[in-house]
Amino acid sequence: MTVITFDTLKFVEHLKHSGISEKKAKAISEAFRDAQSEAEIATRKDLRDFEHRVNNKFNLMEYRIMTRLGGLITVVGSLVVLFQKML
């Protein structure tokens, strides 16, 4: 999980300048900090890492499908040749 820094002093000062008492501003700041620390926030790096993992799995699945399809085509082609020789 990514840690996002939060300047509580600046936040409290901003709230105080908007007319909120220092006690209430500190309480709001602490509540916001606690809520933020509990939240699971995805950053751009998290999303890039996830995209990379998904692309790797997709490429592996594509390879497996193509390999199996090639095998199936070989088997079907061999059966067609075998049946033509039998007729």
Side-chain angles (χ1 to χ4, degrees):
M1 187 169 100
T2 303
V3 177
I4 298 175
T5 58
F6 174 62
D7 187 348
T8 55
L9 179 60
K10 185 176 179 180
F11 189 73
V12 168
E13 291 299 319
H14 185 73
L15 292 174
K16 284 173 36 180
H17 285 284
S18 67
I20 296 176
S21 71
E22 184 172 353
K23 183 177 178 181
K24 287 180 182 178
K26 286 181 179 180
I28 292 169
S29 176
E30 289 174 14
F32 185 78
R33 184 193 64 222
D34 292 345
Q36 185 184 28
S37 67
E38 292 176 9
E40 292 187 27
I41 300 171
T43 63
R44 287 186 182 126
K45 182 183 181 318
D46 295 331
L47 294 175
R48 280 193 303 270
D49 292 345
F50 177 73
E51 180 183 23
H52 183 68
R53 287 194 316 268
V54 168
N55 283 338
N56 284 347
K57 288 186 179 191
F58 179 77
N59 290 337
L60 179 61
M61 286 177 15
E62 183 181 31
Y63 172 77
R64 288 178 178 169
I65 289 170
M66 295 304 290
T67 302
R68 290 179 182 170
L69 183 59
L72 181 62
I73 290 171
T74 302
V75 169
V76 169
S78 298
L79 289 174
V80 168
V81 169
L82 179 66
F83 286 135
Q84 284 180 347
K85 287 184 178 181
M86 291 176 62
L87 296 176

